[in-house]
Amino acid sequence: MTTQQIVLVSRPKGTPTLDNFRFETVELNAFQDGDVELEGLFYSVYPYMRGRMNDAKSYVPPFQIDQPIEGAVVAKVTATKSTDFKTGDIVMGRLYWRHKIITHAKGLQKIDTTVAPASYYLGILGMTGLTAYFGMIDIGKPKAGETVVVSGAAGAVGMIVGQIAKLQGCRVIGIAGSDNKIKVLKEDFGFDDAINYKTTKDMKEAIALCCPKGVDVYFDNVGGEISDAVIANINFNARIALCGQISLYNSTDISAGPRLQPMLLTRSVLMQGFIISNYARRFPEGTAQLAQWVKEGKLKSTETIVHGFDKLPVALLGLFKGENTGKMIVEA
Ligand SMILES: NC(=O)c1ccc[n+]([C@@H]2O[C@H](COP(=O)([O-])OP(=O)(O)OC[C@H]3O[C@@H](n4cnc5c(N)ncnc54)[C@H](OP(=O)(O)O)[C@@H]3O)[C@@H](O)[C@H]2O)c1
């Protein structure tokens, strides 16, 4: 049996293009004891995949040239030689960008689609939700009445972060890249205010206006000049959760920003970077809390669903152009 797969054909310099990917038809590997045969249903695209396109040492190994891209996939079991799964089960795992997949059952997780739609396990009930939860609760340590600023606020992680901060009784300000995203954050997701960084000339001043008492918690998804402007408004004893730096992922030079250390020192600010896998042992706690909030209607999810397996590279590149509101997902 053959399947279509998507491989990395070259490493991008700067912003990736469709030329960095190739579609090809390959013969599936032999179906052995312990294996399952899967049909991909939903594929997740993540900003961190940009880092894996570089040949650089990081917390995850780089994608290999002429090898399939891999990421989180929700799939249906279409045949099984494993006692752990039966035909028709819906599973999730880190899998190749292939339409049909044969893989060992070890490492796959059965998901319960009666609790939430299957795609939620790639977003709010998956790594994305856990990132928002542990970054905000564990590092942000929000207290009722404090002011929280979230950059990349209308994206997958940011939207959940803002809602979690609201649940803790905070005043929440989002930063995002379009007027429609600003409207969605305020009207649909309960953000107290939001700033469109693409149409705002002076971000430092705009943040000061939205945060008259200063910023107590900053959840940083984007880095660069947006973060410089937020940190210029940071309060004494504030916490900064350093989650992502998407504004810099396609940079070809080393960005020289303001030196932050004097500000962090004089205001006793704690800035902490984190990778969600640091919290692996506490995933059950995070997943249970997120599922509870979703069940109670306290946490809402929104997704941008792109249709067609062949649109996976387009969807990935779309993250860097702000084409998603909430979690970007490809439905095969
Ligand atoms: N630490 C961890 O373990 C961990 C885990 C998951 C994600 N992350 C990081 O968290 C961040 C958000 O990830 P996500 O999955 O939720 O992605 P996402 O926010 O759903 O998608 C990316 C968004 O980033 C914004 N963006 C793109 N280029 C930008 C730029 N130059 N300046 C400012 N904003 C820009 C776009 O929105 P606009 O329209 O607003 O520009 C885009 O929609 C990323 O930096 C990611 O790497 C970290």
Side-chain angles (χ1 to χ4, degrees), residues 65-83:
I65 297 292
D66 291 332
Q67 293 300 313
I69 308 285
E70 59 157 25
V73 180
V74 164
K76 186 161 105 180
V77 177
T78 47
T80 179
K81 286 191 177 183
S82 157
T83 49

Side-chain angles (χ1 to χ4, degrees), residues 45-48 59 127-128 131 151-159 175-178 181 197-198 219-223 226 242-250 273-277 318-328:
V45 289
Y46 299 104
Y48 88 95
Y59 60 95
M127 288 302 150
T128 302
T131 302
S151 57
V157 173
M159 232 171 213
I175 300 172
S178 79
K181 290 183 180 186
Y197 73 90
K198 287 190 180 159
F219 193 102
D220 186 9
N221 280 313
V222 306
I226 293 173
L242 212 49
C243 174
Q245 299 282 289
I246 193 167
S247 74
L248 307 177
Y249 293 171
N250 293 322
F274 72 103
I275 302 299
I276 189 51
S277 51
L319 293 173
F320 300 95
K321 299 183 224 157
E323 287 172 357
N324 60 309
T325 300
K327 177 69 195 159
M328 180 81 105

Side-chain angles (χ1 to χ4, degrees), residues 10-326:
S10 57
R11 301 198 184 278
K13 291 184 181 64
T15 305
T17 69
L18 293 178
D19 291 339
N20 297 124
F21 303 91
R22 183 176 68 233
F23 286 81
E24 56 188 29
T25 301
V26 288
E27 195 70 32
L28 279 175
N29 39 312
F31 194 23
Q32 293 175 337
D33 279 349
D35 284 353
V36 285
E37 183 194 276
L38 304 171
E39 184 184 319
L41 301 177
F42 297 100
Y43 298 74
S44 179
V45 289
Y46 299 104
Y48 88 95
M49 289 175 154
R50 173 64 187 86
R52 295 191 71 185
M53 295 172 83
N54 296 334
D55 189 13
K57 202 172 168 209
S58 186
Y59 60 95
V60 271
F63 295 132
Q64 295 302 310
I65 297 292
D66 291 332
Q67 293 300 313
I69 308 285
E70 59 157 25
V73 180
V74 164
K76 186 161 105 180
V77 177
T78 47
T80 179
K81 286 191 177 183
S82 157
T83 49
D84 295 337
F85 299 102
K86 58 181 190 316
T87 302
D89 280 349
I90 307 295
V91 297
M92 188 178 72
R94 187 183 278 209
L95 298 165
Y96 284 145
W97 279 10
R98 286 180 171 165
H99 192 55
K100 285 244 170 210
I101 305 146
I102 289 178
T103 184
H104 198 277
K106 200 175 152 207
L108 294 176
Q109 177 196 341
K110 187 175 168 180
I111 60 174
D112 185 351
T113 52
T114 61
V115 173
S119 59
Y120 275 37
Y121 292 87
L122 297 177
I124 200 161
L125 296 181
M127 288 302 150
T128 302
L130 290 167
T131 302
Y133 176 79
F134 287 112
M136 177 68 345
I137 298 293
D138 226 63
I139 299 175
K141 294 190 170 52
K143 294 190 227 29
E146 287 191 324
T147 301
V148 173
V149 173
V150 188
S151 57
V157 173
M159 232 171 213
I160 305 168
V161 166
Q163 294 180 80
I164 293 174
K166 284 303 296 176
L167 286 170
Q168 308 309 306
C170 298
R171 191 162 174 277
V172 180
I173 314 300
I175 300 172
S178 79
D179 287 345
N180 187 53
K181 290 183 180 186
I182 299 305
K183 188 166 172 277
V184 168
L185 289 174
K186 293 204 282 190
E187 292 181 6
D188 301 341
F189 287 87
F191 282 61
D192 295 285
D193 216 334
I195 304 168
N196 179 347
Y197 73 90
K198 287 190 180 159
T199 55
T200 301
K201 276 209 180 86
D202 188 337
M203 281 298 289
K204 183 178 161 187
E205 185 187 73
I207 292 158
L209 283 174
C210 282
C211 308
K213 293 184 187 164
V215 178
D216 300 300
V217 180
Y218 174 41
F219 193 102
D220 186 9
N221 280 313
V222 306
E225 289 177 5
I226 293 173
S227 294
D228 295 341
V230 179
I231 293 170
N233 286 284
I234 209 83
N235 274 343
F236 189 79
N237 270 341
R239 287 79 64 203
I240 300 174
L242 212 49
C243 174
Q245 299 282 289
I246 193 167
S247 74
L248 307 177
Y249 293 171
N250 293 322
S251 295
T252 46
D253 50 6
I254 294 171
S255 132
R259 308 265 182 222
L260 296 176
Q261 289 90 332
M263 182 93 77
L264 304 184
L265 169 70
T266 54
R267 299 189 193 174
S268 300
V269 175
L270 185 66
M271 176 151 90
Q272 189 183 328
F274 72 103
I275 302 299
I276 189 51
S277 51
N278 300 352
Y279 288 93
R281 279 192 297 135
R282 288 177 60 196
F283 283 174
E285 166 204 329
T287 308
Q289 179 61 82
L290 290 161
Q292 178 74 17
W293 279 332
V294 169
K295 205 170 126 198
E296 293 170 354
K298 291 180 175 165
L299 209 53
K300 289 197 289 181
S301 167
T302 192
E303 297 167 333
T304 297
I305 305 248
V306 173
H307 294 277
F309 175 80
D310 59 323
K311 294 291 189 302
L312 263 164
V314 174
L316 176 58
L317 303 191
L319 293 173
F320 300 95
K321 299 183 224 157
E323 287 172 357
N324 60 309
T325 300

